[in-house]
Amino acid sequence: MPVLVPLIESAYRGDASRAGWTTEADLLEGQRTDPQGVAEVITAPKSALLTAWRDGELVACCQVADEDGAGYFGMFAVVPGLQGGGIGRAALAEAERFVRDEWGLGELRMKVINAREDLIAWYVRRGYRRTGELTPFPYGDERFGLPLRADLAFELLVKPLR
């Protein structure tokens, strides 16, 4: 689906992302994903890419996956100019419903860049718990972007779904 990469890139990287609040432009340059990365998500076993459309236009997407018996949430993007209007909240709720009702999983996990306190707070308001468990940022792997800071890591957030 060729519309997915531009949506994801616009929500996180470059000047276009600054129209929304989910930008990572001050933390990372370079790409957020590429066609191969999106194709891997779409074709991976126990993985699904959920999309939201308005008037024939893609407005949001997210990945859900079954990882070791728990749901995983990632590749989340909302058109920058529409952020703050409830689309992201609805997409997250649908991802939770999908993982719980379609796959029968009792927990949803995600990894968020630890420097994104505003985004982490948004997830906490939606019932996610900070675990304090950090995974190092993959410095040197340009598939994840070009870091502008040396202190980045991913924090695991968890929410029970039952």
Side-chain angles (χ1 to χ4, degrees):
M1 222 184 243
V3 295
L4 290 168
V5 172
L7 168 64
I8 296 163
E9 291 296 314
S10 75
Y12 291 96
R13 301 290 161 74
D15 287 335
S17 70
R18 294 181 192 278
W21 68 274
T22 62
T23 184
E24 295 172 346
D26 295 327
L27 302 174
L28 298 156
E29 291 181 339
Q31 71 179 29
R32 168 73 184 233
T33 192
D34 56 27
Q36 179 183 344
V38 172
E40 288 171 5
V41 166
I42 291 172
T43 60
K46 299 182 182 180
S47 178
L49 191 72
L50 308 178
T51 58
W53 298 78
R54 179 187 285 169
D55 300 325
E57 298 288 326
L58 179 66
V59 296
C61 70
C62 65
Q63 172 205 14
V64 290
D66 179 342
E67 291 187 352
D68 302 319
Y72 178 79
F73 178 79
M75 206 172 277
F76 186 30
V78 176
V79 170
L82 298 177
Q83 292 175 12
I87 292 171
R89 188 174 313 127
L92 179 60
E94 174 57 16
E96 292 169 355
R97 185 212 61 80
F98 185 93
V99 166
R100 180 188 62 241
D101 298 348
E102 303 298 323
W103 290 345
L105 302 176
E107 182 176 84
L108 191 59
R109 301 173 182 172
M110 67 180 73
K111 293 182 179 178
V112 180
I113 294 177
N114 62 333
R116 295 294 321 278
E117 290 292 336
D118 55 344
L119 185 58
I120 290 171
W122 187 84
Y123 286 119
V124 167
R125 289 191 302 273
R126 274 140 199 87
Y128 287 82
R129 178 181 53 82
R130 297 184 77 163
T131 66
E133 182 180 321
L134 299 178
T135 303
F137 188 87
Y139 287 92
D141 188 340
E142 292 186 11
R143 294 176 304 154
F144 295 93
L146 304 169
L148 300 175
R149 294 172 45 168
D151 63 343
L152 300 179
F154 293 104
E155 182 173 353
L156 178 67
L157 306 181
V158 177
K159 179 179 181 177
L161 299 177
R162 297 189 172 147

